[in-house]
Amino acid sequence: MKDTVPTITTGALPASRKLYVTGDTHDIRVPMREIVVTDEAPLTVYDSSGPYTDPAAEIDIASGLPETRGGWLQARGDVEEYEGREITDADNGFASGARLTPAFPVRRAPLRATGDRAVTQLAYARAGIVTPEMEFVAIRENEGRTEAYLRDGEAFGAELPDLVTPEFVRQEIAEGRAIIPANINHRELEPMIIGRNFKVKINANIGNSAVTSSMEEEVEKMVWAIRWGGDTVMDLSTGRNIHNIRDWIIRNSPVPIGTVPLYQALEKVNGIAEDLSWEVFRDTLIEQAEQGVDYFTIHAGVRLHMIPMTAKRVTGIVSRGGSIMAKWCLHHHRESFLYEHFDEICDICRRYDVSFSLGDGLRPGCISDANDEAQFAELHTLGELTKIAWAKDCQVMIEGPGHVPMHKIKANMEEQLKHCHEAPFYTLGPLTTDIAPGYDHITSAIGAAMIGWFGTAMLCYVTPKEHLGLPDRDDVKTGVITYKLAAHAADLAKGHPGAQRRDDALSRARFEFRWEDQFNLGLDPDTAREMHDETMPKEAHKVAHFCSMCGPKFCSMRISHDIRAAAEQREGMDAMAEKFRERGALYVPAGEEPAQ
Amino acid sequence: MKDTVPTITTGALPASRKLYVTGDTHDIRVPMREIVVTDEAPLTVYDSSGPYTDPAAEIDIASGLPETRGGWLQARGDVEEYEGREITDADNGFASGARLTPAFPVRRAPLRATGDRAVTQLAYARAGIVTPEMEFVAIRENEGRTEAYLRDGEAFGAELPDLVTPEFVRQEIAEGRAIIPANINHRELEPMIIGRNFKVKINANIGNSAVTSSMEEEVEKMVWAIRWGGDTVMDLSTGRNIHNIRDWIIRNSPVPIGTVPLYQALEKVNGIAEDLSWEVFRDTLIEQAEQGVDYFTIHAGVRLHMIPMTAKRVTGIVSRGGSIMAKWCLHHHRESFLYEHFDEICDICRRYDVSFSLGDGLRPGCISDANDEAQFAELHTLGELTKIAWAKDCQVMIEGPGHVPMHKIKANMEEQLKHCHEAPFYTLGPLTTDIAPGYDHITSAIGAAMIGWFGTAMLCYVTPKEHLGLPDRDDVKTGVITYKLAAHAADLAKGHPGAQRRDDALSRARFEFRWEDQFNLGLDPDTAREMHDETMPKEAHKVAHFCSMCGPKFCSMRISHDIRAAAEQREGMDAMAEKFRERGALYVPAGEEPAQ
């Protein structure tokens, strides 16, 4: 029997408290984080961390999070409970006995749309309905602002409003420019929006360990990733127990959960790609839709005729899903069942509101393969599939690369906007060089910040272990913080009307030697504090008007304060001197103006 | 008595050996690093690490490195030995007894130009002379290539030749577009070049510790920084022993050493900025020029009328040198002695060939202050000073920011090119957001990669401890590797004709599961190997045709190999099918072409 000591990280971030902003129209409570700052108004920031950072929340992962959305769904009156698909041994990779992760204790009947209705946010938006989800994300995006803080930046055609209104959200969704991934069976969700005219978001990937993991461990991976800022989490688990683990994760997740259903389908056919079939895949989609997965990566853009285009590449096909489908296509010498049955996939997704993340199975895996024929051929197909999905009222985002040198990044965004009709772009990095294994969170943060600036709506994180091994807890945190800073740099450069508030608050703290505020306003207060304490551990140093780098004599900030005082005095003197010169000139006889 | 156990890191990097390429014209041996690769030709890469990575070199820091340049200088016949300035107690901050770092054991008479000659690389270049230094850097830049590997990228007006010739180097220096920082008293130097039409370089800062450091420790900081790729090192030491420590560093440094002479001058007046004078400063310049400092940061662009422009900034003046000079200017209410005596500073520098790094004393210290009036006013003055220095045959580069959001980075490069007449730009980052203390190597690597792409010639590194504390050994390495990858990303995007060789070699290794090659071709083989071993420690796994991330079933690269084989077969089939269709069409009766 496994020890069930809870390992879930809870508690507020330093100097932070949870706020809930209520809706004007709907019964919603939108979570935000307020950072307390010395001698200034507190700073309210976006909060992806869910109830785990609310000291008032009772966390019991065996019960799951409160089903906040239950009432909203019921009120719409377009869904029905039903018995649901029977869970089979295959769903958990035939794990049994001690190796079987226990099922989530609360068994709940799944919901689906009545009839062949679309219960998607896109369908509602097109019908002119502002859902609670839409109002929720509108309030959330404004981070407590009531006006624009600054209008600056170059947005490359993105149009960020001063304040996001529920109606603006509705329009963006109706136009396909944004999605709210929100499966009707994920009632624990705190909705969030992915789109070019909103804050840039980040995704963190998690997956089960090779050794049997406890449910706590798996849930904790998600909790840890969102604590530091993960806006969505993809569960990329393979092998045993993935059904049960996914249940534990979704029931405890306030953020959208994405998956690649192909991974589980492949497990069901014992890892033989050729044995995959539409029937097995369809069964897996329904299984996961009933559990509440919010978005599916579907590699339907990998078409038979594109596969030879990858033969001359340096690194071939590097997407797992892409390579599995390519192998299937070649073996059967036909188009994939994903492509051929795409409309049926849409029919499933619209009944649960599972959003599409159309996978880039042919993304480049190295600098040399960037922006090649295969990559863009697939992108064009993803654009065609987008139209099919939209015709079925399904929400869509498009996955993008990968490995791309800086000068080829912009073309990716432009091609995507053009061929995918402004559906949100969701990229993995891109990595801007291949030569730094161990530092690929950084090689990719460069590309991520740039493509985010150009218009990518969500950035999939890369950890330091990319290409080398499985990320541990520290790697996940490093990846999340790195991507948060890249997304924020993108928001700043786009001219997001609220982004610079936090930079300015932190910089004021820095200039005024408010060390604690400087730590607390940063993305990772704990690490900042630890690093400071390594050199200047004493409490007294936290109020020191200098720091360990330069010491008091060389402290530019301290000297700047002196200068500011002196300059203000001088400004008065200069103004007087100027007046004197003006008056002097007035008394110079005509024709005798002084030389310059 | 201090224990003098040597702490200097020596030995080759993994799978690497030292090569020396000899000159065609001059008696020079240009060091390179050859990385051995399985089943491929070895890859020759740029090598900044000096004799420390040459197992054949005998390292004795009390003797210093061989004076490679001695013969070159003698052959030019334009320098003279002289007694040199007397070393005073003030030079070492009045350290004495056990607190005094011993003087470097070998006392050598300094060199200076005879008469009022300019012995600078710029003077030679203008006179049409190709010096050994110029041939050295030409060979070095080509990294063993005999032709361009690839021509790709967007260079924004930079013109990188397929191969660098000594004559090209001469022209670039003559035009002021590049510098070779090479004080005639730094005879141990392996010359390197800084310019927009060459590989992007990086600088690492080091400085003495507050506690008394041993000479070995100080030398090791430099050795460690260049081992991982530092192209130049700035010694930013303050306080006691800085003269003696600098001697130890320069005598053992194969890379150019830069300093901010103002720091030492301030020590000589007990840290009272107002007490600084031209005489103290001049004395310090000569002291350091005689020691062999290769470039001086001089904050001569901070002018009196600009100081009030910083009064409304969020973070005022953040440059140490800039704030010290601003304080001096305000106190005396006059232009700084740096500005007023700039031509005399040039007269000193030309006699030793100390290059200028014209300091950006008014660089922005936060996002809010980026690209403001003060910053650009100073930049324009730096352009004026560049012309004065050039008139005196002095080599010049220009320092740049700092903190700049992505959308304002390009303007920095454009303003610099325009107003500083294409003198090389040398920037600190820039940091693209203020909100990630603890991760500022990353916030700044984003800006550094971008501005390097746009044309910045050298990037000053930022470590994770920026704003928080003094970097330790790990931080220095992290900073150097991060900046190497940013510089390389810039080279790739500029279309450097050799840059992608390494990406491609590493990616081929990745695709072919040559794990050891993948580690060894990376910027930090040790970290890559450690990370891999954390998940898959066994030796057998290093030849595994899959890795720990996905396992064999989900290995896209493994599947890609199958696909490649199948696709090649298929291609043959397709070609035949195509032929058949063509032939078929030939036999279709006219007017009965088959439908599409």
Side-chain angles (χ1 to χ4, degrees):
Chain A
M1 183 67 199
K2 255 188 120 40
D3 190 5
T4 52
V5 176
T7 56
I8 307 300
T9 305
T10 58
L13 288 176
S16 298
R17 59 191 193 107
K18 196 75 141 189
L19 282 186
Y20 293 95
V21 180
T22 52
D24 287 333
T25 314
H26 295 101
D27 179 22
I28 55 177
R29 289 172 78 232
V30 183
M32 295 189 190
R33 176 178 156 217
E34 195 179 68
I35 307 173
V36 176
V37 184
T38 317
D39 299 333
E40 284 192 7
L43 186 79
T44 305
V45 297
Y46 198 99
D47 185 359
S48 62
S49 62
Y52 301 98
T53 50
D54 183 353
E58 271 180 44
I59 302 298
D60 171 15
I61 64 162
S63 306
L65 296 180
E67 299 193 357
T68 320
R69 287 178 73 214
W72 314 349
L73 296 166
Q74 223 165 9
R76 288 202 274 264
D78 52 6
V79 295
E80 62 185 12
E81 282 192 358
Y82 69 112
E83 198 174 338
R85 175 186 165 284
E86 195 187 340
I87 308 308
T88 67
D89 288 351
D91 299 349
N92 283 303
F94 305 98
S96 61
R99 304 190 76 168
L100 177 67
T101 301
F104 186 75
V106 188
R107 169 84 183 148
R108 198 185 52 182
L111 293 176
R112 68 179 170 201
T114 51
D116 65 349
R117 226 180 263 276
V119 293
T120 66
Q121 296 292 320
L122 177 54
Y124 302 132
R126 283 173 167 172
I129 299 165
V130 173
T131 62
E133 288 84 350
M134 295 176 199
E135 190 185 12
F136 192 102
V137 301
I139 294 170
R140 196 168 199 186
E141 289 286 318
N142 293 329
E143 299 176 280
R145 276 185 302 117
T146 54
E147 55 186 14
Y149 176 79
L150 248 176
R151 295 254 48 160
D152 193 0
E154 162 58 55
F156 299 106
E159 293 179 4
L160 293 88
D162 281 352
L163 286 173
V164 174
T165 61
E167 172 57 18
F168 178 78
V169 170
R170 188 197 64 73
Q171 285 170 21
E172 289 292 298
I173 293 173
E175 296 292 333
R177 275 196 299 267
I179 65 171
I180 297 180
N183 184 324
I184 55 172
N185 287 310
H186 190 185
R187 296 172 231 180
E188 303 83 356
L189 183 74
E190 294 175 351
M192 52 78 72
I193 192 162
I194 301 168
R196 187 158 68 115
N197 293 325
F198 301 93
K199 275 172 74 73
V200 175
K201 305 301 189 298
I202 71 161
N203 171 70
N205 295 330
I206 60 172
N208 55 347
S209 311
V211 291
T212 312
S213 319
S214 74
M215 300 81 79
E216 285 87 356
E217 278 171 299
E218 298 303 324
V219 172
E220 169 63 5
K221 286 177 188 170
M222 176 273 296
V223 170
W224 185 245
I226 66 175
R227 180 177 183 84
W228 300 110
D231 292 295
T232 77
V233 166
M234 288 195 79
D235 175 13
L236 302 184
S237 296
T238 56
R240 289 198 178 81
N241 291 313
I242 50 181
H243 179 97
N244 285 358
I245 288 173
R246 192 162 49 233
D247 239 2
W248 282 92
I249 292 171
I250 297 173
R251 299 286 74 79
N252 286 286
S253 175
V255 304
I257 298 295
T259 63
V260 185
L262 194 63
Y263 295 174
Q264 188 176 13
L266 188 66
E267 298 289 354
K268 291 181 183 175
V269 295
N270 302 308
I272 313 295
E274 300 87 317
D275 291 353
L276 282 164
S277 66
W278 164 238
E279 289 67 31
V280 170
F281 190 76
R282 183 180 175 282
D283 172 68
T284 307
L285 291 183
I286 292 171
E287 172 189 351
Q288 297 196 11
E290 289 180 350
Q291 285 186 293
V293 171
D294 299 287
Y295 62 91
F296 287 156
T297 292
I298 305 281
H299 295 93
V302 179
R303 295 196 54 192
L304 183 61
H305 71 276
M306 298 171 188
I307 300 168
M309 296 175 188
T310 68
K312 299 249 150 48
R313 281 179 159 188
V314 170
T315 53
I317 300 177
V318 296
S319 149
R320 288 198 248 173
S323 61
I324 293 164
M325 288 321 300
K327 194 169 187 185
W328 190 95
C329 290
L330 278 187
H331 180 85
H332 297 282
H333 202 238
R334 58 182 288 186
E335 295 293 354
S336 81
F337 53 84
L338 299 178
Y339 183 78
E340 292 191 334
H341 294 271
F342 190 70
D343 58 342
E344 290 162 79
I345 299 176
C346 294
D347 288 335
I348 294 169
C349 288
R350 62 190 251 128
R351 292 194 81 178
Y352 300 92
D353 200 6
V354 181
S355 296
F356 281 109
S357 183
L358 293 178
D360 54 337
L362 303 182
R363 68 170 174 268
C366 65
I367 292 297
S368 178
D369 298 343
N371 294 21
D372 72 353
E373 188 190 12
Q375 183 195 334
F376 284 146
E378 183 189 31
L379 184 69
H380 297 177
T381 303
L382 298 185
E384 292 163 25
L385 297 172
T386 299
K387 290 216 156 168
I388 295 170
W390 282 351
K392 298 264 188 180
D393 283 333
C394 291
Q395 301 191 86
V396 182
M397 62 180 167
I398 309 288
E399 294 185 10
H403 291 239
V404 185
M406 284 191 286
H407 64 294
K408 292 185 176 172
I409 291 177
K410 198 146 194 299
N412 275 274
M413 192 68 231
E414 287 166 352
E415 287 288 303
Q416 194 273 345
L417 284 171
K418 184 173 159 196
H419 294 284
C420 298
H421 325 293
E422 299 196 85
F425 205 21
Y426 166 33
T427 61
L428 177 66
L431 286 72
T432 54
T433 164
D434 303 336
I435 71 166
Y439 299 79
D440 279 333
H441 58 311
I442 306 178
T443 67
S444 67
I446 294 167
M450 290 176 71
I451 207 163
W453 175 24
F454 300 149
T456 290
M458 185 156 79
L459 308 169
C460 183
Y461 89 163
V462 170
T463 78
K465 289 269 174 63
E466 183 75 13
H467 299 119
L468 297 170
L470 293 170
D472 62 20
R473 192 174 166 85
D474 287 344
D475 295 319
V476 166
K477 181 175 172 185
T478 300
V480 168
I481 301 279
T482 299
Y483 270 66
K484 284 305 279 186
L485 73 85
H488 185 76
D491 282 340
L492 280 177
K494 278 171 87 173
H496 187 288
Q500 203 179 307
R501 286 181 319 149
R502 192 162 178 177
D503 297 81
D504 290 353
L506 192 144
S507 295
R508 283 193 301 272
R510 187 169 277 159
F511 189 62
E512 290 166 13
F513 303 100
R514 289 184 271 117
W515 289 98
E516 289 292 343
D517 290 344
Q518 194 186 148
F519 306 149
N520 296 336
L521 287 163
L523 291 177
D524 180 359
D526 300 342
T527 298
R529 185 175 286 102
E530 273 164 33
M531 285 188 176
H532 180 265
D533 288 0
E534 273 177 43
T535 330
M536 295 181 86
K538 287 185 211 132
E539 271 312 304
H541 281 147
K542 300 246 178 49
V543 292
H545 276 202
F546 58 90
C547 70
S548 59
M549 282 86 79
C550 311
K553 263 193 297 201
F554 286 95
C555 181
S556 62
M557 296 236 176
R558 204 188 62 136
I559 299 173
S560 266
H561 283 279
D562 299 347
I563 291 168
R564 180 167 292 189
E568 276 165 9
Q569 199 181 357
R570 179 71 56 195
E571 222 169 51
M573 284 171 62
D574 285 351
M576 277 196 295
E578 184 63 27
K579 275 214 179 108
F580 181 78
R581 274 195 296 274
E582 277 173 17
R583 190 158 320 147
L586 279 176
Y587 288 100
V588 173
E592 287 187 37
E593 285 87 1
Q596 290 246 334
Chain B
M1 182 70 200
K2 254 189 123 34
D3 190 6
T4 52
V5 176
T7 56
I8 307 300
T9 305
T10 58
L13 288 175
S16 299
R17 59 191 192 107
K18 196 75 141 190
L19 281 187
Y20 293 97
V21 181
T22 53
D24 287 333
T25 314
H26 296 101
D27 179 21
I28 55 177
R29 290 172 78 231
V30 183
M32 297 190 188
R33 176 179 156 217
E34 195 180 70
I35 307 173
V36 176
V37 184
T38 317
D39 298 333
E40 284 193 7
L43 186 78
T44 306
V45 297
Y46 198 98
D47 184 0
S48 63
S49 62
Y52 300 98
T53 50
D54 182 353
E58 271 181 42
I59 301 300
D60 170 15
I61 66 161
S63 307
L65 296 180
E67 300 194 356
T68 320
R69 287 178 73 214
W72 314 349
L73 297 165
Q74 226 166 6
R76 289 202 274 262
D78 52 6
V79 295
E80 61 185 11
E81 282 194 354
Y82 69 112
E83 199 174 336
R85 175 186 165 283
E86 196 188 337
I87 307 309
T88 68
D89 288 352
D91 298 350
N92 282 304
F94 304 99
S96 61
R99 303 190 76 167
L100 178 66
T101 301
F104 186 74
V106 188
R107 169 83 182 148
R108 197 185 52 179
L111 294 175
R112 69 180 170 202
T114 52
D116 65 349
R117 230 181 261 277
V119 293
T120 66
Q121 296 291 321
L122 177 54
Y124 302 132
R126 283 172 167 173
I129 299 166
V130 173
T131 61
E133 288 85 350
M134 295 176 200
E135 190 185 9
F136 192 103
V137 301
I139 293 170
R140 196 169 199 185
E141 288 287 318
N142 293 329
E143 300 176 279
R145 274 185 303 117
T146 53
E147 55 186 13
Y149 177 79
L150 247 175
R151 296 255 43 163
D152 193 1
E154 162 57 56
F156 300 106
E159 293 180 4
L160 293 88
D162 282 351
L163 286 173
V164 175
T165 62
E167 172 58 19
F168 179 77
V169 170
R170 188 199 64 73
Q171 285 170 20
E172 289 292 298
I173 292 173
E175 297 291 335
R177 275 196 298 266
I179 66 171
I180 297 180
N183 185 324
I184 54 172
N185 287 309
H186 190 185
R187 296 172 232 180
E188 303 83 356
L189 183 73
E190 295 175 350
M192 52 78 69
I193 193 162
I194 301 168
R196 186 158 68 114
N197 294 325
F198 301 93
K199 273 173 76 74
V200 175
K201 305 301 188 298
I202 71 161
N203 171 70
N205 295 328
I206 60 172
N208 55 348
S209 312
V211 291
T212 312
S213 320
S214 73
M215 302 80 80
E216 286 86 359
E217 278 172 299
E218 298 304 323
V219 172
E220 169 63 6
K221 287 177 188 169
M222 175 274 295
V223 170
W224 184 246
I226 66 175
R227 181 177 182 84
W228 300 110
D231 292 295
T232 77
V233 166
M234 288 196 80
D235 175 13
L236 302 183
S237 296
T238 56
R240 289 198 180 83
N241 291 312
I242 50 180
H243 179 96
N244 285 359
I245 288 174
R246 192 163 48 232
D247 240 1
W248 282 93
I249 292 171
I250 298 174
R251 298 288 74 78
N252 286 287
S253 175
V255 304
I257 298 295
T259 63
V260 185
L262 194 64
Y263 296 175
Q264 188 176 14
L266 188 66
E267 298 289 353
K268 291 180 181 174
V269 296
N270 301 307
I272 314 294
E274 299 87 317
D275 291 353
L276 282 164
S277 66
W278 165 238
E279 289 69 29
V280 170
F281 190 75
R282 183 180 176 283
D283 173 68
T284 307
L285 292 183
I286 292 171
E287 173 189 351
Q288 298 196 10
E290 289 180 349
Q291 285 187 293
V293 170
D294 299 287
Y295 63 91
F296 288 156
T297 293
I298 305 282
H299 296 93
V302 179
R303 295 197 54 191
L304 183 61
H305 71 274
M306 298 170 189
I307 300 169
M309 295 175 189
T310 67
K312 299 248 151 50
R313 281 180 159 186
V314 170
T315 53
I317 300 177
V318 295
S319 149
R320 289 198 249 172
S323 62
I324 292 163
M325 288 321 300
K327 193 169 189 186
W328 189 96
C329 291
L330 279 186
H331 180 84
H332 298 282
H333 202 237
R334 57 181 290 186
E335 296 292 354
S336 82
F337 52 84
L338 300 178
Y339 183 77
E340 291 192 335
H341 293 271
F342 189 70
D343 58 343
E344 290 163 80
I345 299 175
C346 294
D347 288 336
I348 294 169
C349 287
R350 63 191 248 124
R351 293 194 80 180
Y352 301 91
D353 199 6
V354 181
S355 296
F356 281 111
S357 182
L358 293 178
D360 55 337
L362 303 182
R363 67 168 176 267
C366 65
I367 292 298
S368 178
D369 298 343
N371 294 20
D372 73 353
E373 188 190 11
Q375 183 195 336
F376 284 145
E378 184 189 31
L379 185 68
H380 298 176
T381 302
L382 299 184
E384 293 163 24
L385 297 171
T386 298
K387 290 216 157 169
I388 295 170
W390 281 351
K392 299 265 188 181
D393 283 334
C394 291
Q395 301 191 87
V396 181
M397 61 180 168
I398 309 288
E399 294 185 9
H403 292 238
V404 184
M406 283 190 286
H407 64 294
K408 292 185 176 172
I409 291 177
K410 198 144 195 297
N412 276 273
M413 193 67 231
E414 287 165 354
E415 286 288 303
Q416 194 273 345
L417 284 172
K418 185 173 160 196
H419 294 285
C420 299
H421 325 292
E422 299 197 83
F425 204 21
Y426 166 33
T427 61
L428 178 66
L431 286 72
T432 53
T433 163
D434 303 336
I435 70 166
Y439 299 78
D440 278 334
H441 59 309
I442 306 178
T443 66
S444 68
I446 295 167
M450 289 175 71
I451 206 163
W453 175 24
F454 300 150
T456 289
M458 186 158 78
L459 309 169
C460 183
Y461 90 163
V462 170
T463 79
K465 289 270 174 64
E466 183 76 13
H467 299 117
L468 297 170
L470 292 171
D472 62 20
R473 194 174 165 83
D474 287 343
D475 296 319
V476 167
K477 182 175 172 184
T478 300
V480 169
I481 301 280
T482 299
Y483 270 67
K484 285 305 278 186
L485 73 84
H488 185 77
D491 281 340
L492 279 178
K494 277 171 87 173
H496 187 288
Q500 203 180 308
R501 284 181 320 149
R502 191 164 178 177
D503 297 80
D504 290 353
L506 193 144
S507 294
R508 282 192 301 271
R510 187 169 277 160
F511 188 62
E512 291 166 13
F513 303 99
R514 289 184 270 116
W515 288 98
E516 288 293 342
D517 290 344
Q518 193 185 150
F519 307 149
N520 296 335
L521 288 163
L523 291 176
D524 180 358
D526 300 342
T527 298
R529 185 174 286 102
E530 273 165 33
M531 286 188 175
H532 180 265
D533 287 359
E534 273 178 41
T535 329
M536 294 182 86
K538 286 185 213 131
E539 272 312 303
H541 281 146
K542 301 246 177 46
V543 291
H545 276 202
F546 59 90
C547 70
S548 59
M549 281 86 79
C550 311
K553 261 193 298 202
F554 286 97
C555 180
S556 62
M557 296 236 177
R558 203 189 62 136
I559 299 172
S560 266
H561 284 278
D562 299 347
I563 290 169
R564 179 167 293 189
E568 276 165 10
Q569 199 182 358
R570 178 70 56 196
E571 221 168 52
M573 283 170 63
D574 285 350
M576 276 196 296
E578 182 64 24
K579 275 214 179 109
F580 180 78
R581 274 195 297 274
E582 276 172 17
R583 190 158 320 147
L586 279 176
Y587 287 100
V588 173
E592 287 186 39
E593 286 86 2
Q596 292 248 337

